[in-house]
């Protein structure tokens, strides 16, 4: 029942990255490498975490807009430890 940490970072003005840090006995360890925002995303929405597939682990849901006016949108779903985006 220890809290993990999820960070949204911006190393420059055009890129957004996501980092997951897992709490192991009070020490945070980074899981994998930073993930880049999805290709084609112009606006990134608020991250949501829930167990969408019922396997006992939370997934990361990320809504994005593919244009500045948000006329084209998409929702991305990723699982902790996987590079695959659904």
């Amino acid at each position: 029942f220890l809290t993990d940490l999820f960070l949204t970072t911006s190393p420059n003005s055009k890129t957004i990255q996501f980092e997951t840090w897992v709490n192991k006995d009070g020490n945070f360890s980074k899981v994998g490498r930073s993930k880049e925002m999805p290709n084609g995303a112009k606006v990134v929405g608020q991250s949501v975490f829930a167990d969408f597939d019922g396997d006992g682990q939370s997934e990361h849901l990320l809504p994005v807009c593919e244009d500045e006016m948000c006329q084209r949108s998409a929702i991305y779903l990723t699982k902790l430890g996987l590079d695959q985006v659904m």
Side-chain angles (χ1 to χ4, degrees):
F1 295 105
L2 298 173
T3 303
D4 294 331
L5 182 64
F6 181 84
L7 299 175
T8 302
T9 62
S10 183
N12 60 53
S13 63
K14 297 182 190 243
T15 305
I16 294 175
Q17 295 179 339
F18 305 102
E19 297 178 6
T20 303
W21 295 74
V22 177
N23 190 335
K24 295 179 182 176
D25 299 323
N27 296 313
F28 286 99
S29 300
K30 188 175 177 185
V31 177
R33 57 184 172 82
S34 298
K35 292 184 180 182
E36 299 281 331
M37 69 179 183
N39 287 336
K42 302 292 183 202
V43 179
V44 176
Q46 180 66 47
S47 292
V48 177
F49 300 90
D51 183 7
F52 293 102
D53 60 7
D55 68 354
Q57 290 192 335
S58 293
E59 288 83 39
H60 176 211
L61 184 87
L62 182 69
V64 302
C65 295
E66 296 173 341
D67 62 357
E68 297 293 334
M69 299 297 293
C70 251
Q71 298 297 310
R72 292 186 326 249
S73 60
I75 297 174
Y76 292 91
L77 180 72
T78 61
K79 295 176 83 59
L80 180 63
L82 295 179
D83 286 333
Q84 180 180 5
V85 178
M86 298 177 249

